[in-house]
Every structure is written in C-alpha cells, then in structure tokens.
Amino acid sequence: MNVTSVKYDHWHVELDDDGIVWLGLDVADKSVNVLATAVLHELAGISKNLCDAPPVGVVLYSRKSRGFIFGADINEFEAFTSEDDVKAHIDETLETFQRIDDLPCPTVALIDGVALGGGCELALGFDVIIGVDDPAVQIGFPEVNLGLLPGYGGTGRMFKRAGLSTALNMVLYGKSLNARDAQSCNIIDILVNNNSDLKPEAVKVIKAYKGCEFPDPLIDDPADLIAAETAKIEARFNENNTPAPFEILRLFAMKSPNQARLIASESHIFARLMMGRASRGLRRVFALNDAVKKQGRGKSDVTHIHVIGAGVMGGDIAAVAAMSGFTVTLQDINAAAIETAVKRAHSLYDRRLKSPDMAAMAKNRLHVDPTGTGLHDADLLIEAVAENLDLKQKIFADAETKMKTGAIMATNTSAIPIEDIGAVLKKPERLIGMHFFNPVPVLPLVEIVHTEASDADAIKRAMCVSGAMKKLPIGCKSSPGFMVNRALLPYLFAAIDAVIDGENADMIDQALVEFGMPMGPIELADQIGLDVCHDAGLVLGMSETSKSRLQALINAGTIGRKTGQGFYQWDDKKAIRPRASYDADALHAIALRLLSPLVAECRTAVAEGVVTSRDMADAAMLFGVGFAPHTGGPLFWADDNPALVTV
C-alpha cells in the first residue's frame, strides 16, 4: 500500500518530487503533540508501509506551532490494569520505532521545540537529528518524575548516541537539555539558526547522506560512574518510596550494556514501575499540578501590587511578584526590614533569572515605599503583617479609604477568618485571602480564601495573579486555618505533645522523613517558628501541655531556627539532631499515628466544603507543605491504609 494514499487523523504524509516522505504530526483536538495510543497506532501502520516500499528518505516534523512532541499522553496510563497490558503496549511501540530505525533509506527528525519523553525517544530512532537554536527547544526524559524511566527505547538509543554518562544523567535526574547542550552531547547532529527553514536542510542531508558513526558509549568508567551516582541517589531517596532512580542505576550497571540489551530490560522495568504505588502517586501529583495550574490561567488587569509588611513573608511575596513582571511597592514602618527584604530579593533575581539584564529589570520593578504612597494606584494590596487581628483590621480600614474602585484587598493571614478581618470594612466583599507559604520562592501553593460575601471577580483575578507568579492557586472557604494549616497544625501538635510526654524527638522526625516528608514535625515547628505555631494554636486549638511548653520556649527567646534554638539547636539552615537509625516497624507506627489527625482534618474539610473536592485537599497538602509526593496526597494514600482509621 502506498503510504501517502491513506488518510490519517493525526499524521500528514506527503511524498515529494525527490522521493522523500514528509511525516508531519498534528494530533487532532490537542494544542500540542502527544504520543497518544491512537497516534502510535497510526504510526505503526505508516512504518509498515514505509518498510514495504522504502522511499528515498523520511523526514519527521511537527505541523503545530507549539513544540515538537511533548511525550506520551500520561492520562492514558491510568487505563492499564496489569504489567502484561503495559508490556503489550510497549512491545507494539518498540516494533514501530525499530521499523523506522531499520529503514534502508536515510531518516531525519526536525526538532523545533519540546522533545520530551516519548517525543525524544521517537526522534532518537532517526539517523540524523536537526535542531533549532532556540530557547523553546527542550530535549530530555522527565519520566523519573512520574516514578518511571523511558519505556520506548530511550535508554538504549540515548546510550548509543550520547554515551553512558549523558544517558544516565538524563534518565536519572529528568532534566532537559537546550539545543546547544544537546548538540555538544551528540544528541543533535546539526543546529540551525532560529530563522532558518529546516526543510531544505533536511533535503540536503538526505541527498548527501553516507551513514553515521557514534563515539564509543563506554568512554567513561562504568563502575566509577555508577558508584558515584548511587551515592548521590541513596543520600536523597528512600527506595521504598521512590524506586525508579534505583532501578535506573541497576539498569545502567548491567554488564556490557548496549542498545538492544538496555531496551529489552528497560521495557520490563517500565511495566513493573508503572503498576507500582509510587508511580501511581507521582502520576496523580502530575495530574493535580496540571489541574490546579489551569485555575490560574488567564489575564487579569492587575499590574501594580502593593505589599504591606516587609518581613520574611511580605518581602518574599513582593520579590516574587516583581520577578514575575508586576510593578511592586513595598511598605513597612521598619526601614531596616525593607532594606533586608530588598537585598534578599536582589539575591533571588541574581540566582534565578537567566541574564543580568533580566535581573536588573526585576530590581527596577521593586520599589521601596515606606509611607505607602503606592497604595493609591495599586490594583492589588497584599497585607503580610503579624497575625494580629487588631493590626490587620486597622490596615484594611485605612486602605479602604485610599484604594481606587475595583482594586483588590488581600490578606496573607494563615489562620484568622477573613470575616473577622473584614468586619471593619464598609465593603467587606472587597477583602479576600491570598495565603502564601514559606519559603515563598520555593513552595508553589497559594490559598485563595473567600467568604460568602466575597466578590467572585476578585477571586478570579487573584487566581490569575497567582498563576502569573507561577504559583498554584486553590480556592478555600474562609474558616479557621483554611485548608493547609487546619490539617497541618493537629499533626504538629500531636508530635509536640508526644515529645512533652517523653518520646524521642529525633525518632519522631526520622519516622516522618522515612515516610517521605521533607522534614519531621518537630523540625518543621522549629522551622516555622514556635511563636507562629503558638499563635496559630490559639486560633485553631492545641492542648494545654503544648500551649504551656511553647509559651515557656517563647519566654526564653528560643523560638526555633530564627533564634538558633527551639526544640533543637540550629546551625544556620540545619537542625542539629542525631538522625539515628531506628526499627522500621516502630517508625512506621509513629508515622501512622501522627498522620491520622492530618488525614481526619482533610476529610472533614472536604465534607464541610472548605475545598471543593478530595483532589483539592490533596493538592493543597502536596503543594503547600510538601506532603510525601509518592503517596499522591494524604487522602489518596489513606485509601490504601485502613490502619489509619484505628490508630
């Protein structure tokens, strides 16, 4: 059958006068190209036809303006119910890619944008890869972030083309390469100017093609390389929670690796990981991230943000807002606090932004405003002063008389009900909550808090502002603690009560670190500040023993990391604790016991409509406090742990 005589839903196949087949991908009903099952099924048929009647050459390219191929359709992964199902899908795809690899004519892939995961794997099956020298080009394997490794032959083909060190690094850490770095690693063969037309270059390559030679893939010492990377991974991950990096290391450590052996082993490992709990949880995190991100998409009319309060939270909110393109005025009665906040912001820009010019522009958008003159012109006020109701009410009562009509007033309160703060306002519907999480430059969540009276347009605009700041906004009904602190504080106070009762703080923290939390609850309390925990506990509730112990520590001036002493001594950013080894069963029991109140509060919050769904409760805990990602969120995890009910 002539390959060009078939009408495809997703592929445009054309034979030109030179006998070259142009294979253009334009996935139907998608804004970007993804290798969905239907796309791969059509490609299988195309590859068979090409084998039956090989043309002079084949060129793969994207017919969409946004990127090359973004990878597999991750949503389809949930349809697989067994390792055998996964393996059957992989085998069919590998046969398709291998048929293209084996074609007797030269084949060329044109990469003009994102080529990740399966998109990168498909391109690696072509003889010559031509890339565009453009920042939009990304080449890599992000599968490890989903608890997986490449499944369509990526490990073997990347090993053959780029060598052991590059292949291992790309698969193990999931970081993408830009076009120039990809060329230096032998992944891209020809790099063309951003304004060039790739197609004439492809024709020239096909007409002059004489075959290609790749360097020795084992130029590095495999044993030394694997040992070094293993030490790094063991220091960062627990294999029980995140098995994928360990499986990847064992794969590349095989004796005498080559393309065929790596691909054969890779497919079995992929199927096993796909059906495991860790990948299920991490894929859910990916889906939740995408769902929440969509809530922040869209444009708002907010261009000028005024921040009151130049402490750590307010200063960092102002810094991130200016880095994200907003004009920002920062107000505080303490001139030293503003100076410190600006220095911290400038350091952030120098680290994060790609060029000195971009850093300079961000610095110019952040304005010192000790008297608050910027409040008059601001489109959005974010208040970030101490958790004191009287102080907050005073700030907003004054702001209401100065701000222009339609401007949004937002508080960064972590626990005080919005209704209480807005009780002094003539138009309380103007006030909403925008609760950021510390450290603001790192944690992506923003709780967008509303009351029954809140203006719906203000809520939507605040969502879009959060999205523009590259944050993940989740709507929450106003209630004490909102979503995250409502669930987090009972967990922290349960741990504090346990320490007061004589339990080992280090053992408690180690139990939760082994579970997968970024740090244990006692260390976290010190990190947050025992004064902050105490004040939140007054609003949300805590035991008399916790209240008394925290007050004693506060009176002694030992409130955690910021004073160098709390429950632990601190060496700058690190708590000094033994980090000892303990019985695994004992640690598991501690984790179940302390997480039970957190899970219970999440369930109650959903039942009370504080958030709209279980998904949003899990997303809030994942993105607000870094709840163990491999679990997929506390409620998703609790479904598989009935012991939580009885602990």
Side-chain angles (χ1 to χ4, degrees):
M1 181 184 296
N2 187 332
V3 69
T4 61
S5 66
V6 181
K7 179 73 169 78
Y8 302 99
D9 293 329
H10 307 289
W11 295 92
H12 179 82
V13 185
E14 181 181 0
L15 178 67
D16 70 12
D17 294 339
D18 292 318
I20 298 171
V21 168
W22 295 85
L23 190 57
L25 180 59
D26 186 2
V27 178
D29 302 320
K30 296 279 188 182
S31 60
V32 297
N33 286 328
V34 291
L35 295 181
T37 302
V39 175
L40 290 169
H41 181 72
E42 288 188 347
L43 183 60
I46 292 169
S47 68
K48 290 175 183 176
N49 290 336
L50 290 172
C51 286
D52 291 341
V56 170
V58 178
V59 181
L60 170 69
Y61 70 103
S62 167
R63 290 172 64 85
K64 290 189 184 293
S65 59
R66 290 186 58 209
F68 176 66
I69 302 172
F70 279 65
D73 188 341
I74 295 170
N75 295 323
E76 291 187 344
F77 287 4
E78 306 314 309
F80 295 115
T81 59
S82 70
E83 289 185 27
D84 288 342
D85 288 346
V86 178
K87 192 66 172 58
H89 166 74
I90 291 174
D91 286 346
E92 181 180 352
T93 304
L94 288 177
E95 288 174 5
T96 298
F97 287 13
Q98 192 60 49
R99 278 193 292 268
I100 294 171
D101 203 343
D102 292 339
L103 284 171
C105 60
T107 58
V108 179
L110 307 181
I111 297 181
D112 61 351
V114 174
L116 297 176
C120 180
E121 292 176 283
L122 177 56
L124 289 172
F126 284 70
D127 298 321
V128 178
I129 297 176
I130 300 175
V132 177
D133 187 6
D134 185 274
V137 172
Q138 298 178 53
I139 296 177
F141 297 127
E143 289 89 346
V144 70
N145 299 313
L146 301 176
L148 300 167
L149 77 171
Y152 296 158
T155 56
R157 288 195 170 90
M158 186 61 77
F159 169 79
K160 179 180 178 181
R161 176 177 270 272
L164 175 63
S165 180
T166 296
L168 176 60
N169 190 271
M170 292 183 72
V171 174
L172 190 58
Y173 296 106
K175 294 181 179 178
S176 59
L177 300 178
N178 61 33
R180 292 186 182 183
D181 288 342
Q183 184 187 36
S184 70
C185 293
N186 208 50
I187 299 168
I188 288 178
D189 300 291
I190 299 170
L191 197 61
V192 300
N193 185 281
N194 190 20
N195 298 320
S196 301
D197 185 351
L198 293 178
K199 292 186 176 181
E201 188 69 31
V203 172
K204 184 167 66 175
V205 166
I206 287 173
K207 289 184 176 181
Y209 186 71
K210 303 294 184 183
C212 57
E213 294 290 335
F214 296 119
D216 178 5
L218 288 176
I219 194 168
D220 305 284
D221 185 324
D224 288 349
L225 184 61
I226 296 296
E229 296 299 339
T230 298
K232 293 178 187 177
I233 292 299
E234 287 178 342
R236 291 179 56 187
F237 299 108
N238 179 331
E239 186 169 2
N240 291 329
N241 299 338
T242 52
F246 297 88
E247 293 274 20
I248 290 165
L249 284 165
R250 285 192 287 270
L251 171 66
F252 280 98
M254 71 163 56
K255 187 176 181 180
S256 302
N258 60 39
Q259 175 174 312
R261 294 186 68 210
L262 284 167
I263 290 174
S265 298
E266 162 200 289
S267 62
H268 290 282
I269 297 170
F270 183 95
R272 183 167 67 249
L273 290 173
M274 170 76 85
M275 301 312 298
R277 288 185 177 181
S279 182
R280 282 181 58 221
L282 290 170
R283 296 198 309 269
R284 187 167 191 265
V285 173
F286 178 88
L288 291 175
N289 183 292
D290 191 51
V292 176
K293 192 179 293 182
K294 288 177 181 176
Q295 297 179 162
R297 288 179 185 159
K299 292 184 178 180
S300 74
D301 56 355
V302 174
T303 60
H304 177 184
I305 298 175
H306 185 77
V307 179
I308 299 180
V312 172
M313 287 300 295
D316 284 355
I317 291 168
V320 172
M323 186 168 63
S324 304
F326 294 97
T327 297
V328 179
T329 44
L330 178 60
Q331 177 184 354
D332 198 295
I333 59 173
N334 185 337
I338 295 181
E339 182 180 355
T340 299
V342 170
K343 286 182 179 178
R344 197 167 59 249
H346 287 189
S347 177
L348 175 70
Y349 304 152
D350 291 337
R351 291 194 318 271
R352 288 275 189 95
L353 297 177
K354 295 179 180 179
S355 70
D357 287 345
M358 293 177 68
M361 287 189 289
K363 292 171 185 177
N364 290 335
R365 288 192 292 266
L366 179 59
H367 303 278
V368 171
D369 186 16
T371 60
T373 57
L375 189 61
H376 298 272
D377 297 321
D379 305 304
L380 167 65
L381 160 65
I382 301 177
E383 166 272 310
V385 301
E387 286 290 89
N388 180 292
L389 177 60
D390 291 341
L391 177 59
K392 291 178 185 291
Q393 287 182 330
K394 181 179 178 181
I395 286 171
F396 283 108
D398 177 67
E400 188 177 34
T401 67
K402 297 177 179 178
M403 295 189 75
K404 61 188 180 183
T405 302
I408 306 167
M409 295 191 292
T411 174
N412 185 54
T413 181
S414 60
I416 302 173
I418 305 300
E419 296 91 338
D420 294 350
I421 299 172
V424 297
L425 298 178
K426 294 178 181 178
K427 293 185 176 181
E429 64 272 14
R430 292 183 70 181
L431 179 65
I432 63 171
M434 289 185 72
H435 179 212
F436 293 78
F437 289 80
N438 190 26
V440 176
V442 176
L443 290 175
L445 181 69
V446 181
E447 289 179 319
I448 306 296
V449 188
H450 58 87
T451 69
E452 293 294 331
S454 294
D455 179 64
D457 183 61
I459 292 293
K460 177 57 183 172
R461 289 160 67 203
M463 289 270 194
C464 294
V465 169
S466 301
M469 292 173 69
K470 296 182 174 58
K471 296 296 181 182
L472 299 175
I474 291 179
C476 297
K477 185 173 72 175
S478 178
S479 64
F482 315 133
M483 179 64 248
V484 171
N485 283 339
R486 173 187 183 137
L488 180 66
L489 268 294
Y491 157 74
L492 291 185
F493 287 130
I496 291 171
D497 285 344
V499 170
I500 294 171
D501 288 341
E503 291 191 40
N504 183 332
D506 182 68
M507 187 174 182
I508 286 173
D509 280 344
Q510 200 60 30
L512 275 302
V513 170
E514 291 285 330
F515 173 76
M517 303 292 271
M519 66 180 65
I522 302 302
E523 187 174 348
L524 178 59
D526 267 4
Q527 175 85 18
I528 293 170
L530 302 184
D531 53 339
V532 176
C533 292
H534 175 271
D535 291 348
L538 293 177
V539 176
L540 298 174
M542 57 183 160
S543 70
E544 286 299 319
T545 53
S546 280
K547 181 179 179 182
S548 176
R549 180 64 176 275
L550 290 177
Q551 189 62 62
L553 289 166
I554 292 167
N555 292 342
T558 52
I559 57 175
R561 175 188 162 188
K562 51 193 170 186
T563 60
Q565 175 72 56
F567 284 102
Y568 298 113
Q569 285 188 329
W570 283 75
D571 178 10
D572 190 20
K573 297 180 179 181
K574 189 173 183 179
I576 302 172
R577 65 179 184 86
R579 292 174 169 80
S581 296
Y582 302 97
D583 177 74
D585 290 339
L587 295 180
H588 180 66
I590 290 171
L592 286 178
R593 170 163 54 88
L594 295 182
L595 289 169
S596 288
L598 183 152
V599 170
E601 286 297 335
C602 286
R603 286 172 172 156
T604 304
V606 174
E608 293 178 358
V610 174
V611 288
T612 56
S613 67
R614 284 165 46 94
D615 284 355
M616 290 301 104
D618 276 349
M621 301 310 294
L622 287 162
F623 306 135
V625 298
F627 193 89
H630 73 277
T631 66
L635 296 182
F636 189 73
W637 167 73
D639 289 343
D640 291 331
N641 287 273
L644 279 168
V645 178
T646 58
V647 170

